[in-house]
Amino acid sequence: MEPKRVLFVNSESLPYVPESTAAKVGRFLPQGIQESGKEIRSFMPKYGCINERRNQLHEVIRLSGMNIVVNDLDRPLIIKVASISAARMQVYFIDNEDYFHRKFIYTDADGNFFEDNDERAVFFARGVLETVKKLRWKPDIIHCSGWISHLLPLYLKKSYSEDPIFTESKLVLSLYNEITDQRFPADMESKILMRGVQKKDMDLLTPPNGINLAKLAVKYSDAVILGAPDIAPELNEYVETCSLPVLQYIDVDAPESDYIAQYNKFYDKIINGDAD
């Protein structure tokens, strides 16, 4: 039997960004899942603060070169890759000069949320899906972590569901307590639109803010993992109304944490269709 495949779509991962719970999970979960016998691919944005020379990133020419239209403009998609030799694992990076060459991740030097963060999320989600298509690598599980991945569930279920690469993919969403109060531009919905996605599919984005973006991601997911102990009550309530399989919060920093084994077991239940 062929090994199951897990695609990780992370907002953060060590050692490329400062340490956080999401960055720690982004680094060690893919390694642990690979060591359990599954195949993995791991993606994240190529933020401008990532030192390409120190981390030995290089462009993957065969995967780069396509354009993604965002807000009526063609944006070149550049794919880079780096190896984490200790883990025998590669990380793919979604890059674009307009979106990911600034020195800060989500906010400017004064702490202001970037005005084009909605476009960056569109570009990242579609860039990952298009690159996986090019790799011809069929994932059984797609695990999205972090708000910048929150449009991928919508695109997967509405625009890519009939693509043979993704027809059997199940979407697992990790929720963290992040950007709940941040507002996106009023015209965010129009930037998200593409073949298969209609305005009615985004009715939850009223108003377009962080917590409603998270709800939209939940709506188009197959299962949810609570990645933080303090998920906003409004979001928790929405998760409950969706009647999805939920893996409750596990402290990944606890000395004897078995979160990797628990996540792996959860994947297997989702793949086999027997999750609670």
Side-chain angles (χ1 to χ4, degrees):
M1 183 186 297
E2 288 189 358
K4 298 301 182 183
R5 294 173 166 183
V6 182
L7 170 65
F8 293 95
V9 186
N10 295 315
S11 60
E12 305 172 32
S13 178
L14 297 174
Y16 307 108
V17 297
E19 183 161 351
S20 67
T21 299
K24 181 177 180 178
V25 173
R27 161 65 180 85
F28 293 105
L29 179 61
Q31 177 182 350
I33 296 302
Q34 180 171 262
E35 290 171 354
S36 79
K38 290 180 171 64
E39 284 187 23
I40 65 105
R41 294 288 186 274
S42 186
F43 281 79
M44 69 174 287
K46 212 298 289 179
Y47 305 113
C49 60
I50 297 172
N51 187 305
E52 295 195 27
R53 182 174 295 178
R54 183 164 61 238
N55 291 294
Q56 299 185 327
L57 273 67
H58 62 270
E59 185 177 347
V60 186
I61 303 297
R62 70 185 177 88
L63 297 177
S64 299
M66 74 181 90
N67 282 354
I68 292 177
V69 178
V70 182
N71 204 18
D72 296 328
L73 288 174
D74 275 7
R75 309 282 189 180
L77 173 62
I78 306 298
I79 306 300
K80 294 175 180 172
V81 71
S83 296
I84 301 178
S85 54
R88 293 194 296 181
M89 185 176 87
Q90 288 186 319
V91 178
Y92 290 91
F93 295 86
I94 299 294
D95 198 8
N96 171 267
E97 186 172 344
D98 295 320
Y99 291 139
F100 296 114
H101 281 209
R102 56 202 76 169
K103 289 300 179 185
F104 298 92
I105 297 180
Y106 303 133
T107 58
D108 64 21
D110 297 319
N112 299 309
F113 203 56
F114 288 130
E115 288 186 5
D116 64 348
N117 272 334
D118 56 343
E119 296 182 24
R120 297 169 90 209
V122 169
F123 187 89
F124 178 59
R126 290 175 55 189
V128 169
L129 291 168
E130 288 295 338
T131 303
V132 173
K133 277 179 61 177
K134 246 185 174 179
L135 285 168
R136 299 182 183 279
W137 192 81
K138 295 179 65 169
D140 296 286
I141 292 284
I142 300 176
H143 186 170
C144 292
S145 300
W147 75 265
I148 203 167
S149 71
H150 281 180
L151 288 174
L152 194 147
L154 168 69
Y155 285 134
L156 179 72
K157 296 299 172 68
K158 291 295 181 179
S159 298
Y160 291 82
S161 61
E162 295 181 7
D163 189 292
I165 294 292
F166 299 113
T167 47
E168 296 174 21
S169 300
K170 299 292 186 183
L171 199 299
V172 175
L173 178 71
S174 276
L175 291 174
Y176 294 91
N177 195 27
E178 52 177 353
I179 75 153
T180 51
D181 298 325
Q182 293 287 1
R183 292 292 292 259
F184 293 98
D187 62 347
M188 181 179 183
E189 287 185 3
S190 65
K191 300 172 187 174
I192 296 171
L193 291 171
M194 68 171 291
R195 175 192 49 80
V197 177
Q198 302 175 44
K199 282 223 169 189
K200 65 179 183 180
D201 302 323
M202 298 177 279
D203 54 358
L204 285 169
L205 280 179
T206 308
N209 58 24
I211 199 161
N212 286 338
L213 178 62
K215 288 181 183 178
L216 187 74
V218 171
K219 178 179 179 179
Y220 293 104
S221 295
D222 297 295
V224 169
I225 295 174
L226 301 182
D230 52 352
I231 301 297
E234 181 184 339
L235 184 55
N236 249 331
E237 289 169 15
Y238 183 75
V239 171
E240 290 175 8
T241 66
C242 292
S243 301
L244 295 172
V246 176
L247 182 62
Q248 298 298 323
Y249 171 69
I250 301 169
D251 185 355
V252 305
D253 294 313
E256 301 300 320
S257 179
D258 65 345
Y259 79 94
I260 293 174
Q262 293 296 325
Y263 282 29
N264 193 35
K265 193 183 300 182
F266 192 60
Y267 295 157
D268 288 339
K269 287 182 176 180
I270 302 304
I271 291 169
N272 296 327
D274 58 2
D276 295 335

